[in-house]
Amino acid sequence: MAENKEYIFGVADIYVGEGEDQIKFDGKDYLQAEGGSLNLTPQYTEFQFADFGETIVERRLSGWEGEVSIVAGQEDVNILELALASTVPVKNPDGGEEGATDAKIGTKLTGRQVRIHPRILPDSVKDMDWTIYNMASTEGFEREYNAEQGNVTITLAMMPREGFDASDDGNFFYRGAVDPHTEEDDQGNGQEPPKE
């Protein structure tokens, strides 16, 4: 069976989080000053034996590293919280925009799901989407103030998903329309597995 081979072109919509708190870099809610990028790198443990000198005889998967980069063209408290994790909001008593301050030492880094969807495809076609279960910023925040367009670079690092199982696959990401962690009922309808 032949597979569809799509040309790669244009920017992608990047959705960070889910539900009401979702941040959408979709050309409507938030704009991208530059195109985003996804980098996934498998990590391997190498096996060497004296019989073969320095030759690597076998490699076994030992983990994954992943990163998503977004260059936001706007700045507000949501972008700041995404770009500089481990911050907490500060209410504005005058009713203006909330501020932010650093979270207390020892605060757990909380991640969000990230979905990357090629903008040339309708949102209903998710065959070329990448979904990373759990990502958060571990980088710093830099904002330049010059007589030119300003932007905020957001770098998100991949972590294992909530409810991970190191003895099974599907702990970091998937590509395509089907989440491997959905279960099918008797009629073949995909259902979310029960929350742990």
Side-chain angles (χ1 to χ4, degrees), residues 104-182:
K104 66 181 178 181
I105 302 300
T107 299
K108 177 186 173 184
L109 181 63
T110 303
R112 308 180 197 189
Q113 179 178 289
V114 175
R115 181 169 67 95
I116 302 170
H117 174 76
R119 195 173 289 173
I120 59 169
L121 298 177
D123 194 52
S124 60
V125 178
K126 296 181 171 56
D127 297 346
M128 295 188 70
D129 285 15
W130 285 93
T131 300
I132 299 90
Y133 291 113
N134 194 15
M135 304 197 87
S137 172
T138 58
E139 302 288 324
F141 175 79
E142 181 178 357
R143 172 74 162 86
E144 295 183 4
Y145 294 90
N146 295 317
E148 59 187 27
Q149 178 181 345
N151 56 53
V152 178
T153 299
I154 301 165
T155 304
L156 304 175
M158 183 171 69
M159 303 178 289
R161 67 181 178 87
E162 294 293 324
F164 61 81
D165 181 353
S167 65
D168 201 358
D169 50 16
N171 287 303
F172 292 95
F173 62 86
Y174 68 95
R175 181 187 182 271
V178 179
D179 184 341
H181 293 287
T182 58

Side-chain angles (χ1 to χ4, degrees), residues 10-195:
V11 298
D13 293 334
I14 303 175
Y15 303 93
V16 182
E18 300 176 276
E20 293 180 3
D21 296 329
Q22 186 177 68
I23 297 175
K24 303 175 187 176
F25 295 93
D26 59 357
K28 294 176 278 189
D29 284 9
Y30 287 97
L31 303 175
Q32 300 173 60
E34 298 176 15
S37 67
L38 168 65
N39 185 326
L40 298 171
T41 306
Q43 299 171 317
Y44 295 100
T45 297
E46 298 175 346
F47 289 74
Q48 292 177 294
F49 300 92
D51 306 84
F52 288 96
E54 299 298 314
T55 302
I56 297 169
V57 175
E58 187 173 291
R59 290 179 173 89
R60 294 197 185 183
L61 184 67
S62 59
W64 284 90
E65 287 185 344
E67 192 174 87
V68 167
S69 294
I70 308 163
V71 182
Q74 298 140 284
E75 181 184 334
D76 64 8
V77 70
N78 293 326
I79 295 296
L80 178 60
E81 182 183 2
L82 188 60
L84 187 62
S86 301
T87 60
V88 294
V90 176
K91 296 279 186 190
N92 186 335
D94 298 329
E97 183 173 343
E98 288 183 344
T101 190
D102 56 287
K104 66 181 178 181
I105 302 300
T107 299
K108 177 186 173 184
L109 181 63
T110 303
R112 308 180 197 189
Q113 179 178 289
V114 175
R115 181 169 67 95
I116 302 170
H117 174 76
R119 195 173 289 173
I120 59 169
L121 298 177
D123 194 52
S124 60
V125 178
K126 296 181 171 56
D127 297 346
M128 295 188 70
D129 285 15
W130 285 93
T131 300
I132 299 90
Y133 291 113
N134 194 15
M135 304 197 87
S137 172
T138 58
E139 302 288 324
F141 175 79
E142 181 178 357
R143 172 74 162 86
E144 295 183 4
Y145 294 90
N146 295 317
E148 59 187 27
Q149 178 181 345
N151 56 53
V152 178
T153 299
I154 301 165
T155 304
L156 304 175
M158 183 171 69
M159 303 178 289
R161 67 181 178 87
E162 294 293 324
F164 61 81
D165 181 353
S167 65
D168 201 358
D169 50 16
N171 287 303
F172 292 95
F173 62 86
Y174 68 95
R175 181 187 182 271
V178 179
D179 184 341
H181 293 287
T182 58
E183 299 174 351
E184 288 191 355
D185 61 20
D186 294 337
Q187 285 75 41
N189 299 314
Q191 295 180 332
E192 289 293 331
K195 298 290 182 188

